[in-house]
Coordinates of all heavy atoms in Angstrom, one line a residue:
M1 N 63.3 -41.0 176.3 CA 62.2 -40.2 176.7 C 62.0 -40.3 178.2 O 61.6 -39.3 178.8 CB 61.0 -40.7 175.9 CG 59.8 -39.8 176.2 SD 60.1 -38.2 175.6 CE 59.1 -37.3 176.9
D2 N 62.2 -41.4 178.8 CA 62.0 -41.6 180.3 C 62.8 -40.8 181.1 O 62.6 -40.4 182.3 CB 62.0 -43.1 180.7 CG 60.9 -43.9 180.1 OD1 59.8 -43.3 179.7 OD2 61.1 -45.2 179.9
H3 N 64.0 -40.4 180.5 CA 65.1 -39.7 181.3 C 65.1 -38.2 180.8 O 66.2 -37.6 181.2 CB 66.4 -40.4 181.2 CG 66.5 -41.9 181.5 ND1 66.4 -42.2 182.9 CD2 66.4 -42.9 180.9 CE1 66.4 -43.5 183.0 NE2 66.4 -43.9 181.7
S4 N 64.2 -37.7 180.1 CA 64.2 -36.4 179.7 C 63.1 -35.5 180.4 O 62.3 -36.1 180.9 CB 64.1 -36.3 178.1 OG 62.8 -36.8 177.8
Y5 N 63.3 -34.3 180.3 CA 62.4 -33.4 180.9 C 62.4 -32.0 180.2 O 63.4 -31.7 179.5 CB 62.7 -33.2 182.4 CG 64.0 -32.6 182.7 CD1 64.1 -31.2 182.8 CD2 65.2 -33.3 182.8 CE1 65.3 -30.7 183.2 CE2 66.3 -32.8 183.1 CZ 66.4 -31.4 183.2 OH 67.7 -30.8 183.5
V6 N 61.5 -31.2 180.4 CA 61.4 -29.8 179.8 C 62.1 -28.9 180.8 O 61.8 -28.8 182.0 CB 60.0 -29.4 179.6 CG1 60.0 -27.9 179.1 CG2 59.3 -30.3 178.6
F7 N 63.2 -28.2 180.5 CA 63.9 -27.4 181.3 C 63.3 -25.9 181.4 O 63.3 -25.5 182.5 CB 65.4 -27.2 180.7 CG 66.2 -26.3 181.6 CD1 66.7 -26.7 182.8 CD2 66.5 -25.0 181.1 CE1 67.5 -25.7 183.5 CE2 67.3 -24.1 181.8 CZ 67.8 -24.5 183.0
S8 N 62.8 -25.5 180.2 CA 62.1 -24.2 180.3 C 61.1 -24.2 179.2 O 61.1 -24.8 178.2 CB 63.2 -23.1 180.1 OG 62.6 -21.8 179.9
R9 N 60.0 -23.5 179.6 CA 58.9 -23.3 178.6 C 58.3 -22.0 178.8 O 58.0 -21.6 179.8 CB 57.8 -24.5 179.1 CG 56.7 -24.5 178.1 CD 55.7 -25.7 178.3 NE 54.9 -25.3 179.4 CZ 53.9 -26.1 179.8 NH1 53.7 -27.2 179.3 NH2 53.0 -25.7 180.7
Q10 N 58.1 -21.3 177.6 CA 57.5 -20.0 177.7 C 56.0 -20.1 177.5 O 55.6 -20.9 176.7 CB 58.1 -19.2 176.6 CG 59.5 -18.9 176.8 CD 60.0 -17.9 175.6 OE1 59.4 -17.6 174.7 NE2 61.3 -17.5 175.8
R11 N 55.3 -19.5 178.4 CA 53.8 -19.6 178.3 C 53.3 -18.2 178.4 O 53.8 -17.3 179.1 CB 53.4 -20.4 179.5 CG 53.9 -21.8 179.7 CD 53.4 -22.5 180.8 NE 53.4 -21.9 182.1 CZ 52.8 -22.3 183.2 NH1 52.0 -23.4 183.1 NH2 52.8 -21.5 184.3
G12 N 52.2 -18.1 177.7 CA 51.4 -16.7 177.8 C 50.5 -16.7 179.1 O 50.5 -17.7 179.8
V13 N 50.0 -15.5 179.3 CA 49.1 -15.2 180.4 C 48.0 -16.2 180.6 O 47.8 -16.8 181.7 CB 48.6 -13.7 180.4 CG1 47.7 -13.6 181.5 CG2 49.8 -12.7 180.4
L14 N 47.2 -16.4 179.4 CA 46.0 -17.3 179.6 C 46.5 -18.8 179.9 O 45.9 -19.5 180.7 CB 45.3 -17.3 178.2 CG 44.7 -16.0 177.9 CD1 43.9 -16.0 176.6 CD2 43.7 -15.6 179.0
D15 N 47.6 -19.3 179.3 CA 48.1 -20.6 179.6 C 48.5 -20.8 181.0 O 48.2 -21.7 181.8 CB 49.3 -20.9 178.7 CG 49.7 -22.3 178.9 OD1 48.9 -23.2 179.0 OD2 51.0 -22.6 178.8
R16 N 49.1 -19.6 181.7 CA 49.4 -19.6 183.0 C 48.2 -19.7 184.0 O 48.1 -20.4 185.0 CB 50.3 -18.4 183.4 CG 51.7 -18.5 182.8 CD 52.4 -17.3 183.2 NE 53.6 -17.2 182.4 CZ 54.7 -16.4 182.5 NH1 54.6 -15.5 183.5 NH2 55.7 -16.4 181.8
I17 N 47.2 -18.9 183.5 CA 45.9 -18.9 184.3 C 45.3 -20.3 184.2 O 44.8 -20.8 185.3 CB 44.9 -17.9 183.8 CG1 45.6 -16.5 184.1 CG2 43.6 -18.0 184.5 CD1 44.8 -15.3 183.6
G18 N 45.3 -20.9 183.1 CA 44.7 -22.3 182.8 C 45.4 -23.3 183.6 O 44.8 -24.3 184.2
S19 N 46.8 -23.2 183.9 CA 47.5 -24.3 184.7 C 47.2 -24.3 186.1 O 47.4 -25.2 186.7 CB 49.0 -24.1 184.4 OG 49.4 -22.8 185.0
V20 N 46.5 -23.2 186.6 CA 46.1 -23.2 188.1 C 44.9 -24.2 188.2 O 44.8 -24.8 189.2 CB 45.6 -21.8 188.4 CG1 44.9 -21.8 189.7 CG2 46.8 -20.8 188.3
F21 N 44.1 -24.4 187.1 CA 42.9 -25.2 187.2 C 43.2 -26.7 186.8 O 42.4 -27.5 187.1 CB 41.8 -24.6 186.4 CG 41.4 -23.2 187.0 CD1 41.8 -22.1 186.3 CD2 40.8 -23.1 188.2 CE1 41.4 -20.9 186.6 CE2 40.3 -21.9 188.6 CZ 40.7 -20.7 187.9
A22 N 44.2 -26.9 185.9 CA 44.5 -28.2 185.4 C 46.0 -28.4 185.2 O 46.7 -27.5 184.8 CB 43.8 -28.4 184.1
D23 N 46.4 -29.7 185.5 CA 47.9 -30.0 185.3 C 47.9 -30.8 184.1 O 47.4 -31.8 183.8 CB 48.2 -30.9 186.5 CG 49.7 -31.3 186.2 OD1 50.5 -30.6 185.6 OD2 50.2 -32.3 186.9
D24 N 48.7 -30.2 183.0 CA 48.8 -30.8 181.8 C 50.2 -31.6 181.6 O 50.5 -32.0 180.5 CB 48.7 -29.8 180.7 CG 49.8 -28.8 180.7 OD1 50.6 -28.7 181.6 OD2 50.0 -28.1 179.6
S25 N 50.9 -31.9 182.6 CA 52.2 -32.5 182.5 C 52.1 -33.9 181.9 O 52.9 -34.4 181.3 CB 53.0 -32.6 183.8 OG 52.2 -33.3 184.9
N26 N 51.0 -34.7 182.3 CA 50.9 -36.0 181.7 C 50.5 -36.0 180.3 O 51.0 -36.8 179.5 CB 49.6 -36.8 182.5 CG 49.6 -38.2 182.2 OD1 50.6 -38.9 181.9 ND2 48.3 -38.7 182.2
S27 N 49.8 -35.0 179.9 CA 49.3 -35.0 178.4 C 50.6 -34.6 177.6 O 50.8 -35.0 176.5 CB 48.2 -34.0 178.2 OG 48.5 -32.7 178.5
L28 N 51.4 -33.7 178.2 CA 52.6 -33.3 177.5 C 53.6 -34.6 177.4 O 54.2 -34.8 176.4 CB 53.4 -32.3 178.3 CG 52.8 -30.9 178.1 CD1 53.6 -29.8 178.9 CD2 52.9 -30.4 176.6
Q29 N 53.7 -35.3 178.4 CA 54.6 -36.6 178.4 C 54.1 -37.5 177.3 O 54.9 -38.1 176.5 CB 54.5 -37.2 179.8 CG 55.3 -38.4 179.8 CD 56.8 -38.1 180.0 OE1 57.2 -36.9 180.0 NE2 57.7 -39.2 179.9
Q30 N 52.8 -37.6 177.3 CA 52.2 -38.5 176.1 C 52.5 -37.9 174.7 O 52.8 -38.7 173.8 CB 50.7 -38.7 176.4 CG 50.3 -39.5 177.6 CD 48.9 -39.5 177.8 OE1 48.1 -38.7 177.2 NE2 48.3 -40.4 178.7
L31 N 52.4 -36.6 174.6 CA 52.7 -36.1 173.3 C 54.1 -36.2 173.0 O 54.4 -36.5 171.8 CB 52.4 -34.4 173.5 CG 52.8 -33.7 172.2 CD1 51.9 -33.9 171.1 CD2 52.7 -32.1 172.6
Y32 N 55.0 -36.1 173.9 CA 56.4 -36.3 173.6 C 56.7 -37.7 173.2 O 57.6 -38.0 172.4 CB 57.4 -35.8 174.8 CG 57.2 -34.3 175.2 CD1 57.4 -34.0 176.4 CD2 57.0 -33.4 174.2 CE1 57.3 -32.6 176.7 CE2 57.0 -32.1 174.6 CZ 57.2 -31.6 175.8 OH 57.1 -30.4 176.1
Q33 N 56.1 -38.6 173.9 CA 56.3 -40.1 173.5 C 55.9 -40.4 172.1 O 56.5 -41.0 171.3 CB 55.7 -41.0 174.5 CG 56.3 -40.9 175.9 CD 55.5 -41.7 177.0 OE1 54.3 -41.8 176.8 NE2 56.2 -42.0 178.0
V34 N 54.7 -39.9 171.7 CA 54.1 -40.1 170.4 C 55.1 -39.4 169.4 O 55.4 -40.0 168.3 CB 52.7 -39.5 170.2 CG1 52.3 -39.5 168.8 CG2 51.8 -40.4 171.1
A35 N 55.5 -38.2 169.7 CA 56.4 -37.4 168.7 C 57.8 -38.2 168.6 O 58.3 -38.3 167.4 CB 56.7 -36.0 169.3
E36 N 58.3 -38.8 169.7 CA 59.5 -39.6 169.5 C 59.3 -40.8 168.6 O 60.2 -41.0 167.7 CB 59.8 -40.1 171.0 CG 61.1 -40.9 170.9 CD 61.5 -41.4 172.4 OE1 60.6 -41.5 173.2 OE2 62.7 -41.7 172.6
V37 N 58.2 -41.5 168.7 CA 58.0 -42.6 167.8 C 57.8 -42.1 166.4 O 58.4 -42.7 165.4 CB 56.7 -43.4 168.3 CG1 56.3 -44.4 167.3 CG2 57.0 -44.0 169.6
K38 N 57.1 -41.1 166.1 CA 56.9 -40.6 164.8 C 58.2 -40.1 164.2 O 58.5 -40.2 163.0 CB 55.8 -39.5 164.7 CG 54.4 -40.1 165.0 CD 53.4 -39.1 164.8 CE 51.9 -39.7 165.0 NZ 50.9 -39.0 164.4
L39 N 59.0 -39.4 164.9 CA 60.3 -38.9 164.5 C 61.2 -40.0 164.1 O 62.0 -39.9 163.0 CB 61.0 -37.9 165.5 CG 60.4 -36.5 165.6 CD1 61.0 -35.8 166.9 CD2 60.6 -35.7 164.4
A40 N 61.3 -41.0 165.0 CA 62.1 -42.2 164.7 C 61.7 -42.9 163.4 O 62.5 -43.3 162.5 CB 62.2 -43.1 165.8
A41 N 60.4 -43.1 163.2 CA 59.8 -43.7 162.0 C 60.2 -42.8 160.7 O 60.6 -43.4 159.7 CB 58.3 -43.8 162.1
A42 N 60.0 -41.5 160.9 CA 60.3 -40.6 159.6 C 61.8 -40.7 159.4 O 62.1 -40.7 158.2 CB 59.8 -39.2 160.0
A43 N 62.7 -40.7 160.3 CA 64.1 -40.7 160.1 C 64.4 -42.0 159.4 O 65.3 -42.0 158.5 CB 64.8 -40.7 161.4
Q44 N 63.8 -43.1 159.8 CA 64.1 -44.4 159.2 C 63.6 -44.5 157.8 O 64.3 -44.8 156.9 CB 63.5 -45.5 160.0 CG 63.8 -47.0 159.6 CD 65.3 -47.1 160.0 OE1 65.8 -46.7 160.8 NE2 66.0 -47.9 159.0
Q45 N 62.4 -44.0 157.6 CA 61.8 -43.9 156.2 C 62.6 -43.0 155.2 O 62.7 -43.4 154.1 CB 60.3 -43.6 156.2 CG 59.5 -44.6 156.9 CD 58.1 -44.2 157.0 OE1 57.7 -43.0 156.9 NE2 57.2 -45.1 157.5
S46 N 63.1 -42.0 155.7 CA 63.7 -41.1 154.8 C 65.2 -41.3 154.5 O 65.8 -40.7 153.7 CB 63.7 -39.5 155.5 OG 64.4 -39.5 156.6
G47 N 65.8 -42.3 155.2 CA 67.2 -42.6 155.2 C 68.1 -41.8 156.0 O 69.3 -42.0 155.8
V48 N 67.6 -40.9 156.8 CA 68.5 -40.1 157.6 C 69.4 -40.9 158.5 O 70.5 -40.6 158.8 CB 67.6 -39.1 158.5 CG1 68.5 -38.3 159.5 CG2 67.0 -38.1 157.5
A49 N 68.8 -42.0 159.2 CA 69.5 -42.9 160.0 C 70.6 -43.5 159.3 O 71.7 -43.6 159.8 CB 68.6 -43.9 160.7
D50 N 70.4 -44.0 158.1 CA 71.5 -44.6 157.3 C 72.6 -43.6 156.9 O 73.8 -44.0 157.1 CB 70.8 -45.3 156.0 CG 69.9 -46.4 156.2 OD1 70.2 -47.1 157.2 OD2 69.0 -46.6 155.4
R51 N 72.2 -42.4 156.5 CA 73.2 -41.4 156.2 C 74.0 -41.0 157.5 O 75.2 -40.8 157.3 CB 72.5 -40.2 155.5 CG 72.1 -40.4 154.2 CD 71.8 -39.1 153.4 NE 70.8 -38.3 154.1 CZ 69.5 -38.4 153.9 NH1 69.0 -39.3 153.2 NH2 68.7 -37.6 154.5
A52 N 73.4 -40.9 158.6 CA 74.1 -40.6 159.8 C 75.1 -41.7 160.2 O 76.2 -41.5 160.6 CB 73.1 -40.5 161.0
E53 N 74.7 -43.0 159.9 CA 75.7 -44.1 160.2 C 76.8 -43.9 159.2 O 78.0 -44.1 159.6 CB 75.1 -45.5 159.9 CG 74.4 -45.9 161.2 CD 73.9 -47.5 161.1 OE1 74.4 -48.2 160.3 OE2 73.1 -47.8 161.9
Q54 N 76.6 -43.6 157.9 CA 77.7 -43.6 156.9 C 78.6 -42.4 157.2 O 79.8 -42.6 157.2 CB 77.1 -43.4 155.6 CG 76.3 -44.5 155.0 CD 75.6 -44.2 153.7 OE1 75.5 -43.0 153.3 NE2 74.9 -45.2 153.1
N55 N 78.0 -41.2 157.6 CA 78.9 -40.1 158.0 C 79.6 -40.4 159.3 O 80.7 -39.9 159.4 CB 77.9 -38.9 158.2 CG 77.2 -38.3 157.0 OD1 77.8 -38.7 155.8 ND2 76.2 -37.6 157.1
T56 N 79.0 -40.9 160.2 CA 79.8 -41.3 161.4 C 80.9 -42.3 161.2 O 82.0 -42.1 161.7 CB 78.8 -41.9 162.6 OG1 77.7 -41.0 162.8 CG2 79.5 -42.2 163.9
R57 N 80.6 -43.3 160.4 CA 81.7 -44.3 160.1 C 82.8 -43.6 159.3 O 84.0 -43.7 159.6 CB 81.1 -45.4 159.2 CG 82.1 -46.4 158.7 CD 81.5 -47.5 158.0 NE 80.9 -48.5 158.9 CZ 79.5 -48.7 159.0 NH1 78.7 -48.1 158.3 NH2 79.1 -49.5 159.9
A58 N 82.5 -42.7 158.3 CA 83.5 -42.0 157.7 C 84.3 -41.2 158.5 O 85.6 -41.0 158.5 CB 82.9 -41.2 156.5
T59 N 83.7 -40.4 159.5 CA 84.4 -39.4 160.3 C 85.4 -40.3 161.3 O 86.5 -39.9 161.4 CB 83.5 -38.7 161.1 OG1 82.5 -37.9 160.3 CG2 84.1 -37.8 162.2
L60 N 84.9 -41.3 161.9 CA 85.6 -42.2 162.8 C 86.8 -42.8 162.0 O 88.0 -42.7 162.5 CB 84.8 -43.2 163.5 CG 83.8 -42.6 164.4 CD1 82.9 -43.9 165.0 CD2 84.5 -42.1 165.6
E61 N 86.5 -43.5 160.8 CA 87.6 -44.0 160.2 C 88.6 -43.0 159.7 O 89.9 -43.2 159.9 CB 87.0 -44.7 158.9 CG 86.3 -45.9 159.2 CD 85.6 -46.5 158.0 OE1 85.5 -45.9 157.0 OE2 85.2 -47.8 158.1
G62 N 88.2 -41.8 159.1 CA 89.1 -40.8 158.8 C 90.1 -40.3 160.0 O 91.3 -40.1 159.9
M63 N 89.4 -40.1 161.2 CA 90.1 -39.6 162.3 C 91.1 -40.7 162.8 O 92.3 -40.3 163.1 CB 89.1 -39.3 163.4 CG 89.7 -38.8 164.8 SD 88.6 -38.4 166.1 CE 87.8 -39.9 166.3
L64 N 90.7 -41.9 162.9 CA 91.6 -42.9 163.4 C 92.7 -43.3 162.4 O 93.8 -43.6 162.9 CB 90.8 -44.2 163.8 CG 89.8 -43.9 165.1 CD1 88.9 -45.1 165.2 CD2 90.6 -43.7 166.3
H65 N 92.4 -43.2 161.1 CA 93.5 -43.5 160.2 C 94.6 -42.4 160.3 O 95.7 -42.6 160.2 CB 92.9 -43.5 158.9 CG 92.3 -44.7 158.4 ND1 93.0 -45.9 157.9 CD2 91.0 -45.2 158.6 CE1 92.2 -46.9 157.7 NE2 90.9 -46.5 158.1
S66 N 94.1 -41.1 160.5 CA 95.0 -40.0 160.6 C 95.9 -40.1 161.9 O 97.0 -39.6 162.0 CB 94.3 -38.6 160.7 OG 93.6 -38.5 161.8
L67 N 95.4 -40.9 162.9 CA 96.2 -41.1 164.1 C 97.1 -42.2 164.0 O 97.9 -42.7 164.9 CB 95.1 -41.3 165.2 CG 94.5 -40.0 165.7 CD1 93.3 -40.4 166.8 CD2 95.4 -38.9 166.2
G68 N 97.1 -42.9 162.8 CA 98.0 -44.0 162.6 C 97.4 -45.5 162.7 O 98.1 -46.5 162.5
Y69 N 96.2 -45.5 162.9 CA 95.5 -46.9 163.0 C 95.4 -47.3 161.5 O 94.9 -46.5 160.6 CB 94.2 -46.9 163.5 CG 94.3 -46.7 165.2 CD1 94.3 -45.3 165.7 CD2 94.6 -47.7 166.0 CE1 94.4 -45.2 167.0 CE2 94.6 -47.6 167.3 CZ 94.6 -46.2 167.9 OH 94.8 -46.0 169.1
T70 N 95.7 -48.5 161.1 CA 95.6 -49.1 159.8 C 94.3 -49.8 159.5 O 93.8 -49.8 158.4 CB 96.8 -50.0 159.5 OG1 96.8 -51.0 160.4 CG2 98.0 -49.3 159.4
T71 N 93.7 -50.3 160.6 CA 92.5 -51.1 160.5 C 91.5 -50.6 161.4 O 91.7 -50.4 162.6 CB 92.6 -52.6 160.8 OG1 93.6 -53.1 160.0 CG2 91.4 -53.4 160.5
V72 N 90.3 -50.1 161.0 CA 89.3 -49.5 161.8 C 88.0 -50.3 161.4 O 87.6 -50.2 160.2 CB 89.2 -48.0 161.5 CG1 88.0 -47.4 162.4 CG2 90.5 -47.2 161.8
I73 N 87.3 -50.7 162.4 CA 86.0 -51.4 162.2 C 85.0 -50.7 163.1 O 85.2 -50.6 164.3 CB 86.1 -52.9 162.6 CG1 87.1 -53.7 161.7 CG2 84.7 -53.6 162.5 CD1 87.5 -55.1 162.2
V74 N 83.9 -50.2 162.5 CA 82.9 -49.6 163.2 C 81.7 -50.5 163.1 O 81.2 -50.7 162.1 CB 82.7 -48.2 162.6 CG1 81.6 -47.4 163.3 CG2 84.0 -47.2 162.5
N75 N 81.1 -50.7 164.3 CA 79.8 -51.5 164.4 C 78.9 -50.7 165.0 O 79.1 -50.1 166.0 CB 80.1 -52.9 165.1 CG 81.0 -53.8 164.4 OD1 80.9 -53.9 163.2 ND2 81.9 -54.3 165.1
F76 N 77.6 -50.8 164.5 CA 76.5 -50.0 165.1 C 75.5 -51.0 165.7 O 75.3 -52.1 165.0 CB 75.7 -49.2 164.0 CG 76.6 -48.0 163.6 CD1 77.4 -48.2 162.5 CD2 76.6 -46.8 164.3 CE1 78.1 -47.1 162.0 CE2 77.4 -45.8 163.8 CZ 78.1 -45.9 162.7
T77 N 74.9 -50.8 166.8 CA 73.9 -51.6 167.4 C 72.7 -50.8 167.5 O 72.8 -49.5 167.5 CB 74.4 -52.3 168.7 OG1 74.7 -51.2 169.6 CG2 75.6 -53.0 168.5
G78 N 71.6 -51.5 167.7 CA 70.3 -50.7 168.0 C 70.3 -50.0 169.4 O 71.2 -50.3 170.2
P79 N 69.4 -49.1 169.6 CA 69.4 -48.4 170.9 C 69.1 -49.4 172.0 O 68.4 -50.4 171.8 CB 68.2 -47.5 170.7 CG 67.4 -48.0 169.7 CD 68.3 -48.7 168.8
A80 N 69.8 -49.1 173.1 CA 69.4 -50.0 174.3 C 68.0 -49.8 174.9 O 67.5 -48.7 174.8 CB 70.5 -49.6 175.4
T81 N 67.4 -50.9 175.3 CA 66.1 -50.7 175.8 C 66.2 -50.4 177.2 O 66.7 -51.2 178.1 CB 65.3 -52.0 175.6 OG1 65.4 -52.5 174.2 CG2 63.9 -52.0 176.1
P82 N 65.6 -49.2 177.6 CA 65.7 -48.8 179.0 C 64.8 -49.8 179.9 O 63.7 -50.2 179.4 CB 65.1 -47.4 179.0 CG 64.3 -47.3 177.8 CD 64.9 -48.3 176.8
P83 N 65.3 -50.0 181.2 CA 64.4 -50.9 182.0 C 63.2 -50.1 182.4 O 63.2 -48.9 182.6 CB 65.3 -51.1 183.3 CG 66.3 -49.9 183.2 CD 66.5 -49.5 181.7
K84 N 62.1 -50.8 182.5 CA 60.8 -50.3 182.9 C 60.5 -50.5 184.3 O 60.7 -51.4 184.9 CB 59.7 -50.7 182.0 CG 59.9 -50.4 180.5 CD 59.1 -49.2 180.2 CE 59.4 -48.7 178.8 NZ 58.7 -47.7 178.3

């Protein structure tokens, strides 16, 4: 999240006029951070993360076996903690 940004945002006329009087970039950043935490929790609870690991493992093993490798070991680690 610390390394992401909004590239483009469509805004209506009233929103553009309102931005002249107030800067909402900080509140948007907070919204994105809360959303990131909630999305990660939902993915973990629903099993999406586990299925993604299984699918990734199967894809890598299949691809590397087809290239002639007989032993393929796939290890997953947690996300790196960005420096603050």
Side-chain angles (χ1 to χ4, degrees):
M1 184 60 213
D2 294 335
H3 301 287
S4 64
Y5 63 95
V6 175
F7 177 75
S8 176
R9 185 173 83 174
Q10 293 182 356
R11 303 182 311 165
V13 174
L14 294 177
D15 189 34
R16 290 179 191 191
I17 293 171
S19 68
V20 171
F21 301 104
D23 180 23
D24 67 345
S25 61
N26 189 36
S27 63
L28 284 177
Q29 182 73 9
Q30 291 172 348
L31 174 68
Y32 295 148
Q33 289 171 341
V34 169
E36 180 181 22
V37 170
K38 288 188 177 196
L39 285 170
Q44 191 65 36
Q45 290 174 352
S46 68
V48 169
D50 294 332
R51 284 194 305 274
E53 275 191 17
Q54 291 170 358
N55 291 342
T56 301
R57 179 176 280 112
T59 299
L60 291 173
E61 288 174 348
M63 179 179 63
L64 293 170
H65 282 271
S66 70
L67 292 173
Y69 291 92
T70 55
T71 304
V72 178
I73 300 171
V74 179
N75 294 317
F76 292 94
T77 59
T81 305
K84 295 262 177 180

